[in-house]
Amino acid sequence: ETGVTQTPRHLVMGMTNKKSLKCEQHLGHNAMYWYKQSAKKPLELMFVYSLEERVENNSVPSRFSPECPNSSHLFLHLHTLQPEDSALYLCASSPTSGLASTDTQYFGPGTRLTVL
Amino acid sequence: AQKITQTQPGMFVQEKEAVTLDCTYDTSDQSYGLFWYKQPSSGEMIFLIYQGSYDEQNATEGRYSLNFQKARKSANLVISASQLGDSAMYFCAMESGGSYIPTFGRGTSLIVHP
């Protein structure tokens, strides 16, 4: 399997549930990202990992907890979410984390999360 | 601070015609990169085209071209010979200042009519 994959594709959870989103990239990239896409809002960067170390946390609430066990896998652990957290969560990867013409981000298909 | 503005929430175009999607940006950095992504209804984001701030020629990738006007700080996407499969959301994004954190616009919804 090639590219960036995300599971599950759809998730419905209650506010007291604990769930995890998974992202896997098969591109040999060193940087991975979590984004949140809400309706009528620009895409929001949540977390950046470079070589398995978190290098950016964009003031995301603590109910979102990322984990990057290796350069190919990225998780987003969800706990006591709110209905306003319902959104499309996109994972992306790039060869490096820096400004260059080759540092295009490749996105996964996203997980559509609904919090009841 | 970086800012991307896409002023067209929705666009309609006839199949086989060309369409221009607008994007203006704001940054104080001299070195930056501009990207366009396509997001079909499936949700995934597909990279289309890249333009560096020091690139002298406008970027082209197949039917996609980027009309880069540096003085006006605009980076419009031109899709030639539209196809029904081009119907999607299109996002303009920018990285600048050595940061790997991109800024995205709100997107433009493109609908291609047969």
Side-chain angles (χ1 to χ4, degrees):
Chain A
E1 192 170 6
T2 59
V4 182
T5 59
Q6 288 186 244
T7 54
R9 295 295 307 275
H10 300 271
L11 177 63
V12 179
M13 59 187 290
M15 290 190 285
T16 59
N17 291 156
K18 289 184 182 180
K19 297 286 184 182
S20 296
L21 309 185
K22 180 183 176 182
C23 175
E24 188 172 356
Q25 59 98 0
H26 309 272
L27 301 168
H29 290 169
N30 290 320
M32 296 186 76
Y33 311 76
W34 277 117
Y35 288 90
K36 176 184 178 183
Q37 186 177 24
S38 305
K40 301 180 182 179
K41 283 188 174 182
L43 204 59
E44 301 172 57
L45 179 67
M46 300 176 73
F47 300 103
V48 180
Y49 275 83
S50 178
L51 296 173
E52 303 158 37
E53 290 188 14
R54 189 192 308 180
V55 293
E56 181 65 29
N57 174 355
N58 221 22
S59 301
V60 177
S62 59
R63 56 186 184 269
F64 295 92
S65 174
E67 179 190 0
C68 188
N70 55 63
S71 59
S72 298
H73 294 85
L74 184 65
F75 295 90
L76 186 63
H77 303 300
L78 315 172
H79 177 51
T80 59
L81 295 191
Q82 304 298 310
E84 58 263 31
D85 296 323
S86 298
L88 178 70
Y89 288 84
L90 289 162
C91 173
S93 70
S94 64
T96 59
S97 53
L99 184 61
S101 61
T102 57
D103 288 340
T104 304
Q105 294 191 18
Y106 295 83
F107 286 79
T111 295
R112 291 193 183 276
L113 173 67
T114 302
V115 182
L116 302 177
Chain B
Q2 306 174 98
K3 187 178 180 181
I4 291 282
T5 303
Q6 292 181 255
T7 57
Q8 306 153 315
M11 290 283 287
F12 295 88
V13 67
Q14 194 93 26
E15 192 179 9
K16 299 181 184 178
E17 291 186 351
V19 63
T20 298
L21 306 183
D22 294 342
C23 173
T24 57
Y25 60 91
D26 190 19
T27 179
S28 56
D29 295 307
Q30 298 300 309
S31 177
Y32 51 88
L34 296 154
F35 302 79
W36 276 94
Y37 289 88
K38 171 185 177 182
Q39 186 182 45
S41 57
S42 58
E44 61 188 297
M45 296 276 276
I46 303 166
F47 165 73
L48 295 179
I49 197 166
Y50 168 86
Q51 179 84 43
S53 57
Y54 292 116
D55 294 342
E56 294 185 353
Q57 294 193 334
N58 287 346
T60 59
E61 289 287 347
R63 294 186 298 112
Y64 304 107
S65 61
L66 201 152
N67 184 2
F68 181 45
Q69 298 189 36
K70 198 169 181 177
R72 293 186 176 183
K73 291 190 174 179
S74 74
N76 299 339
L77 177 70
V78 180
I79 305 175
S80 62
S82 298
Q83 301 173 356
L84 296 178
D86 293 334
S87 295
M89 283 289 289
Y90 288 80
F91 290 90
C92 181
M94 176 177 65
E95 291 182 353
S96 69
S99 169
Y100 39 76
I101 301 173
T103 300
F104 285 81
R106 290 178 175 269
T108 296
S109 175
L110 175 67
I111 297 176
V112 180
H113 287 300

